[in-house]
Amino acid sequence: MTEPGSTLAAVLDVSVLIRGVLSRHGASGEVLQHLKSRRFTSFTCRQHLLEFHRALGYRRIRERCGLTEQHRRRLVAQLYARSVVLHFPPGPPLCRDPKDDYLVHLAVAAG
């Protein structure tokens, strides 16, 4: 289900996205740069986008980056625009932390 010409596909954990926003240097920053240049296909879903928006709203992150609500929405919109958005029904519990189950189901849905 990857885009033509793309050899890599990924579901990015929100912590990777946040670290990339906090610093453009390092592995997470590189991942975001590759996402922006579409060097791989990113998969997301509504729950993933909501979690990213929520995490961007944590006080320490807002203060460190000077993020306003408009900035947060723009970052989520960029992830949405650069990703394949999948819709799938909830699946059975799989993870020790049930809040992470959707990530596994998203990866499975992405193929």
Side-chain angles (χ1 to χ4, degrees):
M1 198 168 192
T2 59
E3 292 180 3
S6 177
T7 57
L8 296 176
V11 173
L12 299 174
D13 189 86
V14 169
S15 64
V16 171
L17 295 169
I18 295 296
R19 282 193 298 269
V21 169
L22 292 174
S23 174
R24 291 190 170 113
H25 306 288
S28 295
E30 284 185 45
V31 168
L32 286 190
Q33 291 304 315
H34 290 311
L35 175 63
K36 288 178 184 177
S37 64
R38 300 184 189 272
R39 304 237 355 236
F40 66 93
T41 301
S42 170
F43 290 90
T44 191
C45 64
R46 183 176 187 277
Q47 190 171 354
H48 189 236
L49 295 166
L50 290 171
E51 182 179 349
F52 184 41
H53 183 264
R54 183 177 42 80
L56 288 168
Y58 293 158
R59 187 179 59 138
R60 63 183 167 78
I61 295 169
R62 279 193 335 262
E63 290 175 356
R64 183 169 169 188
C65 296
L67 292 177
T68 64
E69 178 61 23
Q70 182 178 3
H71 288 118
R72 291 168 58 203
R73 288 181 185 196
R74 187 176 334 124
L75 289 167
V76 173
Q78 288 172 351
L79 177 61
Y80 177 87
R82 290 181 171 91
S83 299
V84 175
V85 181
L86 299 177
H87 306 278
F88 51 90
L94 298 170
C95 300
R96 195 173 14 210
D97 182 350
K99 291 183 275 182
D100 289 336
D101 283 341
Y102 83 90
L103 289 170
V104 176
H105 294 294
L106 176 58
V108 169

